[in-house]
Amino acid sequence: MRNTIFIFFACTTAVLIWTTVIVYSDNTMRIIACDVGQGDGILVQYKTQQVLIDGGKPNGKIVPCLSRYMPFWDRTIEVVLLTHPQLDHFGGLIDVFQTYTVRMFLTNALDSDSQEYRVLKSLVAKSDTRVINPVRGQKIRMGLITLDILNPTKEFLAQKTTAASQVPQGEGLGYSTSNADPNDFSLVAMVRFGEFDALFTGDIGPKISDQIARIIQENEHDPIEYLKVPHHGSKNGLSSGLLEALNPQVAVISSGKKNSYGHPHQEILTLLRDQGVSILRTDENGDSIVETNGRETTIKENDQDFLSRLRLQMK
């Protein structure tokens, strides 16, 4: 019995040591588009620092995905970014806030009358999480990773929203209402790591896509490496203007297998292929992984390579 216990603890210690070696010695940033079904849930990770962008529906898929890639002892997520308060983006964050400590929550102030959103608001209110409502022009830095906010603008929020409660401006959750399309409120962020740039777009439509394209063109931006295609590949998301301005290497589409919306739409797939963009789809590839050291980029279609290296290190 004692030998069995000793072997168990020895194996556990070995796993911990080798996992630590892999996580801390690897100078690559990973972007994992989790297969959360018809929704968005994307983990950006560098060593033990994480940015989680959306959490998918409340279907129990986001936390298992995080567990596959985050060190098992790491129970803190530095930044959670909710693009906008629709169920296929915030629903899984209920499980996230129940499972992990979240240091900073980036989201717009738009409210939702869904029961699930009330649950999320309650969890956030009871936590020590700092809530920030960023707007275009703001930068959030986390070590070597920088998030540049491109949408929404202060002007758009002033014109389209009405404050529903007295909350300090820029620091609340669900305190404003609007009759406008909630997709247009999507937080859009350019994530930068060395020379690597990745654009995360929520569910923006063509009008906002074209606005962001003009920003990119005005700043003479180099081609980016990674694009999260807006609105799960809907034809009412990515515009040709934004795609031409970005000229990305890889486009990731997060959608559910055989979903009732027909996402991704053929028009968007054709648009991407005609420009020679590599396409990763969670409905076909499962978890889709892109790795970078800040200069070179590697595309992977699932987590088998990472898990294989972990197993080899443990032998």
Side-chain angles (χ1 to χ4, degrees), residues 10-314:
C11 290
T12 301
T13 302
V15 171
L16 179 60
I17 291 172
W18 282 115
T19 306
T20 302
V21 169
I22 291 173
V23 170
Y24 282 96
S25 63
D26 193 349
N27 289 317
T28 61
M29 182 182 78
R30 292 183 183 86
I31 303 177
I32 301 106
C34 296
D35 180 10
V36 294
Q38 184 62 19
D40 279 2
I42 302 174
L43 176 66
V44 180
Q45 178 166 257
Y46 175 68
K47 295 184 182 290
T48 59
Q49 294 181 320
Q50 295 89 23
V51 178
L52 176 62
I53 301 173
D54 291 331
K57 292 182 178 180
N59 55 13
K61 290 188 175 183
I62 188 65
V63 168
C65 181
L66 299 180
S67 299
R68 285 195 290 274
Y69 303 101
M70 290 177 60
F72 63 84
W73 70 88
D74 186 355
R75 312 308 294 173
T76 298
I77 298 175
E78 280 68 28
V79 177
V80 168
L81 186 155
L82 171 60
T83 57
H84 60 299
Q86 289 188 321
L87 190 61
D88 57 334
H89 292 260
F90 77 77
L93 294 182
I94 294 172
D95 288 343
V96 171
F97 273 88
Q98 290 175 331
T99 307
Y100 294 92
T101 296
V102 176
R103 297 198 185 282
M104 186 183 298
F105 189 25
L106 306 178
T107 184
N108 60 52
L110 198 63
D111 203 3
S112 168
D113 59 3
S114 71
Q115 180 179 351
E116 292 87 352
Y117 198 63
R118 289 196 291 271
V119 172
L120 178 62
K121 288 169 64 175
S122 177
L123 287 170
V124 175
K126 294 175 183 177
S127 71
D128 293 325
T129 302
R130 182 185 178 190
V131 178
I132 297 176
N133 310 133
V135 294
R136 181 185 296 173
Q138 286 187 252
K139 296 180 184 291
I140 292 90
R141 290 185 173 86
M142 189 186 75
L144 299 179
I145 299 173
T146 301
L147 284 74
D148 287 349
I149 306 300
L150 303 182
N151 192 67
T153 66
K154 284 184 179 180
E155 294 76 15
F156 176 83
L157 295 176
Q159 294 171 3
K160 299 294 184 177
T161 62
T162 301
S165 59
Q166 295 298 319
V167 177
Q169 187 175 10
E171 298 183 356
L173 180 61
Y175 66 84
S176 67
T177 59
S178 176
N179 292 323
D181 185 348
N183 291 334
D184 289 342
F185 290 83
S186 292
L187 278 183
V188 176
M190 185 78 78
V191 173
R192 306 183 191 278
F193 179 77
E195 299 173 10
F196 178 93
D197 296 322
L199 185 67
F200 296 91
T201 56
D203 279 357
I204 59 171
K207 182 178 179 180
I208 304 297
S209 283
D210 285 339
Q211 289 179 10
I212 293 172
R214 288 193 290 272
I215 296 172
I216 300 295
Q217 292 165 340
E218 289 169 1
N219 288 276
E220 299 180 356
H221 198 284
D222 292 332
I224 72 168
E225 286 69 35
Y226 184 108
L227 169 65
K228 202 293 291 188
V229 176
H231 207 169
H232 321 293
S234 166
K235 61 184 177 182
N236 296 315
L238 179 65
S239 68
S240 59
L242 180 59
L243 183 60
E244 291 171 5
L246 295 172
N247 192 20
Q249 289 183 17
V250 59
V252 176
I253 302 175
S254 183
S255 61
K257 187 175 295 185
K258 298 180 180 179
N259 65 83
S260 60
Y261 304 97
H263 296 160
H265 288 149
Q266 189 59 48
E267 294 93 327
I268 297 300
L269 295 174
T270 300
L271 188 65
L272 293 168
R273 288 169 181 152
D274 286 349
Q275 194 156 323
V277 182
S278 298
I279 302 172
L280 292 179
R281 297 170 51 174
T282 59
D283 63 330
E284 292 185 346
N285 310 120
D287 296 348
S288 297
I289 304 172
V290 171
E291 293 185 350
T292 180
N293 59 11
R295 299 180 303 278
E296 300 172 341
T297 303
T298 303
I299 297 173
K300 300 177 180 179
E301 294 184 354
N302 54 51
D303 60 354
Q304 295 306 308
D305 181 76
F306 177 76
L307 295 178
S308 296
R309 283 191 287 127
L310 176 57
R311 284 194 290 268
L312 286 172
Q313 292 280 5
M314 289 169 54

